[in-house]
C-alpha cells in the first residue's frame, strides 16, 4: 500500500456534483494503491452527525451565528478525531466539504463578518489545512436541476442566497489560487473527472 499524507477537500454549491467526484476519486486512488479515507463534513463522527441532523432539519429555526457555531463545533470534532490522526498515519483524506463551505455559506451567503468566520475556522481546526481544494463551479440553473425533490434546510434557501454563496466560493478561489482549483462542473461527469485526476496526479507526482 502506497503512503501519502494528503488532505483534499471537495467544494461547491449544492448540486455541483462534488459528492460524485469524491467517490470517483476514492476509487481511482485506491486503484493506484493508496490508503484513502473519505469523510463528509459536517458529519462522519458521532457528534458531528448529530449536529448535521440539526443543521439540515427544515423544522429548525436558528440565527446565522448559531448556525456558524454549530458548523465549527462539528468541524472541530472531525478534525481532532479523524482528519489529523489519519494524516499522521500517512493516509490520503478526501473530505466532502470543509471550512471553505462555511466561509461561502455563512460568510458570504449569510453575510456574516468574514474575518470572524475565518477566526473561528482557526479555532476549530488548529494547524490543519487542505493541501488541495477542488471547487466544482456550476451555474445555479444546472445545480438546481440536479438536486432531488426533498430539499434540506440549507437547500431550501432562495436563489439570491445561492448566488452569494457561489460568488463567495469564486472569491475564495481568486484569493487562494495555489490551493483552490476551479473546475467547470457543468460538463459531463467523465470530462469533469479528467480534471480531478489531473490535479490529483500533479499533487501526488503521478506520471
Amino acid at each position: 500500500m502506497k503512503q501519502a499524507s494528503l488532505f483534499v477537500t471537495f467544494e461547491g454549491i449544492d448540486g455541483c456534483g462534488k459528492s460524485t467526484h469524491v467517490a470517483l476519486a476514492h476509487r481511482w486512488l485506491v486503484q493506484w494503491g493508496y490508503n484513502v479515507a473519505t469523510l463528509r463534513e459536517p458529519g462522519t463522527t458521532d457528534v458531528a452527525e448529530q449536529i448535521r441532523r440539526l443543521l439540515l432539519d427544515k423544522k429548525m429555526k436558528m440565527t446565522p451565528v448559531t448556525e456558524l457555531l454549530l458548523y465549527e463545533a462539528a468541524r472541530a470534532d472531525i478534525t481532532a478525531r479523524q482528519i489529523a490522526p489519519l494524516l499522521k498515519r500517512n493516509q490520503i483524506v478526501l473530505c466532502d466539504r470543509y471550512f471553505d463551505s462555511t466561509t461561502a455559506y455563512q460568510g458570504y451567503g449569510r453575510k456574516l463578518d468574514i474575518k470572524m468566520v475565518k477566526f473561528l475556522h482557526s479555532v476549530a481546526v488548529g494547524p490543519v489545512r487542505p493541501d488541495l481544494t477542488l471547487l466544482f463551479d456550476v451555474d445555479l440553473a444546472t445545480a438546481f436541476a440536479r438536486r432531488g425533490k426533498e430539499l434540506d434546510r440549507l437547500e431550501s434557501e432562495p436563489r439570491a442566497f445561492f448566488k452569494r454563496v457561489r460568488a463567495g466560493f469564486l472569491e475564495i478561489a481568486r484569493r487562494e489560487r495555489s490551493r483552490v482549483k476551479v473546475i467547470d462542473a457543468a460538463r459531463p461527469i467523465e470530462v469533469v473527472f479528467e480534471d480531478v485526476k489531473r490535479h490529483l496526479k500533479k499533487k501526488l507526482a503521478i506520471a
Side-chain angles (χ1 to χ4, degrees), residues 26-82:
H26 182 112
R27 191 179 312 136
W28 182 77
L29 287 165
V30 168
Q31 288 173 350
W32 274 92
Y34 289 102
N35 198 348
V36 186
T38 295
L39 315 175
R40 71 172 181 174
E41 212 261 355
T44 303
T45 67
D46 291 341
V47 168
E49 286 292 340
Q50 292 285 349
I51 294 173
R52 181 187 182 91
R53 277 192 278 275
L54 280 174
L55 284 165
L56 300 185
D57 187 346
K58 286 196 288 188
K59 297 176 184 176
M60 290 294 167
K61 306 295 181 186
M62 61 185 74
T63 69
V65 172
T66 300
E67 183 179 87
L68 168 65
L69 292 173
L70 284 171
Y71 274 109
E72 298 295 3
R75 182 166 300 123
D77 201 62
I78 190 178
T79 301
R81 296 178 58 207
Q82 289 285 331

Side-chain angles (χ1 to χ4, degrees), residues 160-193:
F161 173 79
F162 285 100
K163 186 176 181 181
R164 293 193 298 273
V165 172
R166 184 189 180 197
F169 273 127
L170 292 174
E171 179 63 15
I172 293 167
R174 188 186 70 81
R175 290 174 179 268
E176 298 190 58
R177 291 177 181 173
S178 62
R179 172 177 70 89
V180 184
K181 306 301 179 184
V182 181
I183 296 175
D184 177 3
R187 300 169 298 166
I189 291 173
E190 61 274 12
V191 177
V192 174
F193 191 56

Side-chain angles (χ1 to χ4, degrees), residues 34-164:
Y34 289 102
N35 198 348
V36 186
T38 295
L39 315 175
R40 71 172 181 174
E41 212 261 355
T44 303
T45 67
D46 291 341
V47 168
E49 286 292 340
Q50 292 285 349
I51 294 173
R52 181 187 182 91
R53 277 192 278 275
L54 280 174
L55 284 165
L56 300 185
D57 187 346
K58 286 196 288 188
K59 297 176 184 176
M60 290 294 167
K61 306 295 181 186
M62 61 185 74
T63 69
V65 172
T66 300
E67 183 179 87
L68 168 65
L69 292 173
L70 284 171
Y71 274 109
E72 298 295 3
R75 182 166 300 123
D77 201 62
I78 190 178
T79 301
R81 296 178 58 207
Q82 289 285 331
I83 297 170
L86 287 166
L87 292 173
K88 283 183 180 179
R89 295 201 295 268
N90 290 316
Q91 287 192 231
I92 294 177
V93 176
L94 307 180
C95 198
D96 188 338
R97 296 200 183 283
Y98 200 52
F99 58 56
D100 291 311
S101 276
T102 300
T103 304
Y105 277 79
Q106 282 67 52
Y108 290 94
R110 299 289 191 215
K111 301 181 181 179
L112 293 176
D113 182 76
I114 299 297
K115 287 184 178 179
M116 174 188 70
V117 172
K118 290 186 175 181
F119 170 74
L120 290 173
H121 293 344
S122 67
V123 173
V125 309
V128 177
R129 295 290 185 278
D131 299 298
L132 172 66
T133 296
L134 301 177
L135 172 55
F136 297 84
D137 183 53
V138 67
D139 62 275
L140 296 187
T142 301
F144 288 1
R146 290 175 175 175
R147 300 187 312 190
K149 292 181 180 179
E150 290 295 320
L151 303 181
D152 61 37
R153 193 179 66 84
L154 268 293
E155 290 171 341
S156 300
E157 289 294 329
R159 188 182 187 88
F161 173 79
F162 285 100
K163 186 176 181 181
R164 293 193 298 273

Side-chain angles (χ1 to χ4, degrees), residues 4-18:
S5 179
L6 184 71
F7 182 23
V8 185
T9 56
F10 293 66
E11 297 282 7
I13 62 173
D14 297 281
C16 70
K18 60 179 176 47

